[in-house]
Amino acid sequence: LASIHAGDQRAVGAIASLLKDPDPGVRVAAAKALATFGPRAKPALAELTQSAADDDASVRAAAKEALAEIDRWSHPEGRR
């Protein structure tokens, strides 16, 4: 998932849909992939927010990290 070109906005929706996959590993990979899109992943904020309350701790952590990364890149002063 992370190898998908982060400039391809069409991929955001497809990756966000994987946040509902029954396999926690797939959900973690989806959240991590969305984090690489930075602010271009904003259309997936609702799904990531839901994933931040997932039953699986690793999914929750990945979703929270993705939300933080998207937020950080949304603000010019937060960029590296």
Side-chain angles (χ1 to χ4, degrees):
L1 289 174
S3 66
I4 294 173
H5 188 269
D8 189 351
Q9 186 63 40
R10 297 171 296 168
V12 170
I15 296 170
S17 71
L18 295 173
L19 292 170
K20 296 186 186 288
D21 193 273
D23 183 336
V26 172
R27 296 195 306 271
V28 167
K32 288 182 176 184
L34 287 168
T36 68
F37 282 74
R40 293 182 309 274
K42 282 186 177 183
L45 287 178
E47 292 91 337
L48 282 167
T49 300
Q50 288 177 346
S51 294
D54 195 278
D55 290 338
D56 187 277
S58 60
V59 175
R60 287 193 306 270
K64 289 175 185 177
E65 289 174 23
L67 288 166
E69 188 70 9
I70 292 164
D71 182 60
R72 185 177 70 80
W73 282 95
S74 296
H75 305 287
E77 67 278 3
R79 294 183 184 156
R80 292 178 227 192

